[in-house]
Amino acid sequence: MIAADHAGAQAPDAAPNVQPAAPVPAAAAPEDPSTALREKRDEVGRELQDLSQTLKLSEQKATELQQGIAALEKTAGSLREALIESATRRKDLEKAIAASETKLAEYGLREDGIRKSFHERRGTLAEVLAALQRMGRNPPPALLVSPDDALASVRTAILLGAVVPGIRKETDELASDLHDLASLRVSIQSEKTTLLATLQSRQEEERRMDLLLVENDKLSRKSAAQLEEERRHSEDLAKKAVSLEGLIGSLENEIASVREAMDVARLEEEKRRQQTEEQRQRARDLAATTLPDKNRIAPAYSFAELKSKLELPAAGEILRRFGDPDGTGHPAKGMVIASSAGSVVTAPADAMVVYAGEFRSYGQMVILNTGEGYHIVLSGMDRVNTRAGKFVLSGEPIAVMGEKRVASATALALETDRPTLYIEFRKDGTSVDSRPWWVEQNSGKVRNDT
């Protein structure tokens, strides 16, 4: 950087005061932008988690929610519909929260970049500001006052002609960076205000869903003693199982409610297989224009026909897909989604719950039988809201994510500490790629019951 002291420029033999810029340290290896963004987003996520824990539902809002639930018709169909609608709203809010997290992370990285630039150029910026200050204190003399003044002005103009362009360039860059920093702070504050409102809305939706789940449980046709006995039996089978295949097989053969449900599902599959192609086409056309019965006890559609129609069970970022390295030297058998603390997990398709509970190091796990030999395995959740033997509809809430990632073999070598949901599709006991079933991103929401 070239800096000029205007006071020194009055002497006839003065020369520009050239000072070398502070040495710039050797550049470090460039950081991966995606990794930096993920780390910043994790940092923002932790801050938001702390913030959300301080939010409290007002007594007035809690009373309104309770009155709304009390006014609902207490039937299985109406409660399921309300649960699905609540889960849809909650996932939409969680997607908005995730988008805000990403925005704040991007803003944070840009702010860090500007601050780092200021730090690296602090010597140069000090010279610019000092030169501008000295010029302001001792401005160039008027040109037509005296011959001496005129001579000094010409000399000053010559010196400033060499010096000022450099000062102007640095000054313009400084002004631009300061403007960007101020704009970023305004954007960050605006995004935080929007995010706070979204967090409050999600908290209300969480309370509504909890109330709906309580009402839905009251309609259970099974006694509490019978449910508890089946739960214990399921846990015993899970402890003895050495693999998912063994666990699924024993559950479907030994748990009475699951076995009965599988029999119903197999009857429905057999009916579909016996239909002619014309009858199947009529059924597809009817499905495209009408809503399935919310009281159904078997999948409305063949799972193989639901490709490109399923929505992910939870809002979040896909970190790993089927076939990617799993951190143990093997290809991944499923996919991993980095979600947010407290995110709702929904059933991707109509299915019978084969298992709901802890399994080894996978955390809370839910296994869904969608028919035709297909199973969906979901793990890494913190709390499960369903039970073995229950038939769930597409979009129905079945679990909630915890506050941090569950340490398991499915989550090794992941560059995040956010809660992660593991999803695995299985066909006749073999893992298959789930990608063909998911709705393409940004193509709008599609559920297999609409």
Side-chain angles (χ1 to χ4, degrees):
M1 168 60 208
I2 299 176
D5 185 339
H6 179 65
Q10 305 295 327
D13 297 324
N17 179 21
V18 180
Q19 297 182 11
V24 179
E31 188 176 16
D32 181 6
S34 61
T35 300
L37 180 61
R38 185 171 293 125
E39 290 175 352
K40 178 61 73 170
R41 185 174 172 181
D42 287 351
E43 179 184 328
V44 171
R46 288 189 291 271
E47 293 174 0
L48 293 181
Q49 185 177 335
D50 294 338
L51 175 62
S52 62
Q53 290 175 348
T54 64
L55 297 177
K56 291 187 177 179
L57 199 65
S58 68
E59 290 185 10
Q60 179 183 355
K61 178 56 69 174
T63 301
E64 290 176 2
L65 290 172
Q66 289 174 339
Q67 291 174 345
I69 300 303
L72 275 177
E73 182 186 4
K74 302 301 190 299
T75 64
S78 62
L79 285 174
R80 274 186 163 180
E81 180 67 22
L83 276 169
I84 291 172
E85 290 175 356
S86 177
T88 300
R89 287 192 297 269
R90 187 164 161 181
K91 286 176 77 172
D92 286 343
L93 290 169
E94 286 161 358
K95 288 175 183 176
I97 291 171
S100 289
E101 284 183 358
T102 301
K103 273 188 181 180
L104 287 172
E106 290 171 347
Y107 289 156
L109 287 178
R110 287 169 58 189
E111 184 178 15
D112 290 347
I114 292 174
R115 290 182 180 278
K116 183 179 179 182
S117 175
F118 283 159
H119 181 74
E120 292 174 347
R121 294 155 51 208
R122 61 187 182 279
T124 300
L125 296 176
E127 292 177 15
V128 172
L129 294 174
L132 292 174
Q133 186 179 42
R134 289 192 294 269
M135 290 171 65
R137 287 177 179 173
N138 192 9
L143 186 60
L144 299 177
V145 175
S146 70
D148 290 339
D149 286 342
L151 180 59
S153 296
V154 170
R155 287 173 174 163
T156 298
I158 293 172
L159 290 171
L160 291 179
V163 174
V164 168
I167 294 177
R168 178 177 294 139
K169 179 176 181 296
E170 292 292 344
T171 303
D172 289 344
E173 290 180 1
L174 174 60
S176 176
D177 286 348
L178 288 172
H179 179 269
D180 289 346
L181 184 58
S183 298
L184 272 176
R185 286 177 174 172
V186 171
S187 298
I188 288 172
Q189 188 56 47
S190 174
E191 194 62 40
K192 283 184 176 179
T193 301
T194 301
L195 182 57
L196 181 61
T198 308
L199 286 171
Q200 290 174 330
S201 296
R202 185 182 74 167
Q203 187 182 53
E204 294 171 9
E205 203 58 58
E206 287 175 355
R207 181 62 177 274
R208 179 183 287 109
M209 183 178 290
D210 288 342
L211 293 171
L212 286 168
L213 287 169
V214 169
E215 293 296 331
N216 195 41
D217 285 343
K218 290 179 181 178
L219 290 179
S220 175
R221 290 175 292 181
K222 295 200 169 193
S223 68
Q226 186 178 2
L227 290 175
E228 180 62 19
E229 177 60 29
E230 289 203 343
R231 184 187 66 80
R232 289 178 181 173
H233 191 24
S234 294
E235 290 178 351
D236 290 341
L237 291 173
K239 290 176 182 178
K240 295 175 183 177
V242 296
S243 65
L244 278 176
E245 291 92 338
L247 175 62
I248 293 172
S250 59
L251 288 167
E252 292 187 342
N253 289 323
E254 297 188 34
I255 302 298
S257 60
V258 176
R259 189 171 60 247
E260 292 167 6
M262 292 302 101
D263 290 340
V264 172
R266 278 191 284 269
L267 286 174
E268 292 296 320
E269 288 178 27
E270 186 60 32
K271 287 180 183 178
R272 274 199 291 264
R273 277 195 292 268
Q274 292 176 357
Q275 289 178 336
T276 64
E277 183 56 37
E278 182 180 351
Q279 288 174 322
R280 291 196 189 99
Q281 188 57 49
R282 278 203 302 268
R284 294 189 195 103
D285 294 341
L286 183 64
T289 57
T290 60
L291 292 176
D293 178 15
K294 293 299 179 186
N295 292 308
R296 61 189 181 273
I297 57 173
Y301 314 114
S302 164
F303 189 71
E305 295 177 351
L306 294 178
K307 291 183 177 179
S308 301
K309 294 183 180 179
L310 303 188
E311 187 179 354
L312 290 172
E317 175 191 5
I318 298 175
L319 298 184
R320 182 181 293 159
R321 295 182 184 274
F322 179 88
D324 292 345
D326 70 350
T328 65
H330 302 88
K333 294 183 178 181
M335 64 187 294
V336 177
I337 295 177
S339 189
S340 300
S343 291
V344 66
V345 179
T346 59
D350 293 355
M352 183 59 57
V353 180
V354 175
Y355 181 72
E358 282 197 52
F359 181 64
R360 297 179 174 269
S361 62
Y362 290 83
Q364 292 291 329
M365 174 184 283
V366 174
I367 302 175
L368 303 173
N369 185 319
T370 59
E372 302 175 315
Y374 285 98
H375 289 87
I376 299 177
V377 179
L378 306 172
S379 69
M381 295 87 70
D382 179 67
R383 188 174 77 249
V384 170
N385 298 323
T386 189
R387 57 175 175 76
K390 184 178 179 181
F391 184 78
V392 293
L393 305 184
S394 169
E396 188 171 340
I398 57 175
V400 176
M401 299 302 296
E403 294 184 356
K404 58 184 179 180
R405 177 162 64 90
V406 176
S408 74
T410 62
L412 288 174
L414 291 177
E415 297 173 346
T416 184
D417 58 0
R418 295 160 62 197
T420 53
L421 177 67
Y422 176 72
I423 307 167
E424 183 178 333
F425 278 28
R426 303 173 72 84
K427 168 64 172 170
D428 297 328
T430 302
S431 301
V432 296
D433 192 351
S434 65
R435 271 176 283 198
W437 274 268
W438 305 120
V439 177
E440 291 184 11
Q441 291 183 351
N442 304 321
S443 62
K445 295 193 314 179
V446 176
R447 287 217 315 267
N448 63 299
D449 62 347
T450 59

